[in-house]
Amino acid sequence: MELQPFSVDIPEAAVQDLRLRLANARWPAQLPGAPWERGVPVEYLQNLSRYWGEQFDWRATERLLNSHPQFRTDVGGQTVHFLHVRSPSPDAVPLLLLHGWPGSVIEFLDVIGPLADPEAHGLRAPAFDLVIPSLIGFGFSTPLSSAGWTPARNAEAFVALMGGLGYPRFGVQGGDFGAAIGPEVGRLAADRVIGVHVNAPVANFRSSTPIPAEELASLTDVERRRAATASLWRAERMGYFKQQATRPQTLSYGLTDSPIGQLAWIVEKFKEWTNAGHALPEDAVSRDRLLANVSLYWFTGTAASSANIYYEVAHARQRPTPSRVPTAVANFAEDMGIRRYAERWHNIVRWNDFDAGGHFAALETPELLVRDIGQFFSSLV
């Protein structure tokens, strides 16, 4: 595998273009109703946009990304971008970290240090050599080389990547689409994958249909809350999914041409999927981290190619085979996983329900996530 060293260096003209577009934005009128009830409030987005254009420092994000070794390589005809952070520990466990949508490698910036060098961070935990790819079609893993990049095909690419890097045995961790791709990696390479750890568990970790009343009554209180969150998502929060799963190209024109559109499309998810106890997205995830993530989508122009994974999932209609790889689930406060449904497809050996955090655990509650990952893999190696 030929590796090309990579560093992020967005042209200054692109940064200035973003600021100009933000300054000249055309704003809609605010609809009546309660804040957030019909979408992102105009006044809120105007304030966030002003901060993005006038105070947010993209170059600081670049420096942070570039403080870690990054590479690009070709896997099966597709460019794959990844961070490769080796631990100083000689006994480090190789760990593949997988983000989802609307996330990116930026999600993991706050957990790289504690996972790779726990001793330096005052932790008694296993150390990991970290491989952190941008999913196919996301960030710098572009452009898409062909159709058909489902989670299973992403998994094939990442199994090949880990082999090309010389890791005969490794663990996997992922959230959102990473929680779909991670188990697929385990299925493809069951003899090589030590274990799979997921947060923000998605399909095949919960019931795919509304749960009948009799069955609902048999669930625990925590599980009933998970089921209620899933019902709310199906009823009120699935619009983005339908659009990305059916017409990602059409959607992409507005998001690629308007930074306000891209910002609203992503920030809504940071409001709805982070801990419900927070009034605003930046109460759960700092403004700078949130905007760094949105900026990565903007500067790479990946609204269409990242949304495309929804199209592939919806049209592939693949059902997994049960996995025998040891699997752990960290279910944070806004997650929807329910163990009895997950056990139909996964070899669940560890399940923790947390009353804190939400969908973006590496950003919201990094300490809890790092601890759970460490405890799981220390029980396997």
Side-chain angles (χ1 to χ4, degrees), residues 4 21 96 106 169 193 217 244 348 366:
Q4 300 174 340
R21 288 170 183 263
L96 178 66
I106 285 171
R169 294 270 288 163
V193 174
Q244 298 196 148
I348 305 295

Side-chain angles (χ1 to χ4, degrees), residues 115 123 125 350 354 366-376:
L115 287 173
L123 302 175
R350 177 185 174 91
F354 295 94
E367 299 87 356
L368 291 178
L369 182 64
V370 167
R371 185 188 313 149
D372 206 71
I373 293 169
Q375 290 174 350
F376 172 57

Side-chain angles (χ1 to χ4, degrees), residues 24 72 86 111 148 212 232 292 305 307:
N24 293 328
R72 289 208 294 193
R86 295 183 184 274
V111 301
L232 176 64
S305 57

